[in-house]
Amino acid sequence: MRILLLIFCCFCLVSCGLIPGGGRMFSDYQKTSQYMVSGASQTRVKFDWGKPDEIVEADSGESWVYRNRQDDKTFRFNFDKRGRLISSNIE
């Protein structure tokens, strides 16, 4: 009975995403499109993607570049001076 309860608890934790790597995984493309629909900040992008490979500063804000991601693509996120995502590019 205890084993059955333990298996059930593990299944519930994995299915709701409380265990890292469990549950539904999002691709880089899905994450990027979700940011553009719902909006994102530098904090959220850094949480999801980690430290950027390159940060390019400009007068209007900065761009974060992530190289060799899914399908060996380069993802670029452009932020305004307040840290809000204004656009993204996939190269």
Side-chain angles (χ1 to χ4, degrees):
M1 185 67 177
R2 287 184 183 180
I3 293 174
L4 185 59
L5 181 62
L6 181 64
I7 291 171
F8 177 74
C9 289
C10 288
F11 177 75
C12 289
L13 290 174
V14 168
S15 65
C16 66
L18 294 178
I19 296 177
R24 184 175 174 193
M25 302 301 288
F26 290 102
S27 73
D28 291 340
Y29 299 106
Q30 290 170 320
K31 286 189 249 180
T32 303
S33 65
Q34 182 64 30
Y35 296 156
M36 298 314 299
V37 170
S38 65
S41 64
Q42 288 177 333
T43 305
R44 181 167 177 201
V45 172
K46 191 170 191 176
F47 178 78
D48 287 343
W49 293 68
K51 185 179 176 185
D53 296 323
E54 180 182 359
I55 297 176
V56 179
E57 295 189 26
D59 292 336
S60 61
E62 59 185 32
S63 296
W64 289 6
V65 180
Y66 294 88
R67 292 190 177 83
N68 297 324
R69 295 292 295 199
Q70 189 170 350
D71 301 330
D72 292 325
K73 299 288 186 185
T74 297
F75 289 76
R76 179 182 300 264
F77 298 101
N78 302 309
F79 300 96
D80 65 8
K81 289 184 177 182
R82 296 178 130 191
R84 294 178 297 198
L85 183 67
I86 53 176
S87 66
S88 62
N89 299 326
I90 302 171
E91 304 164 353

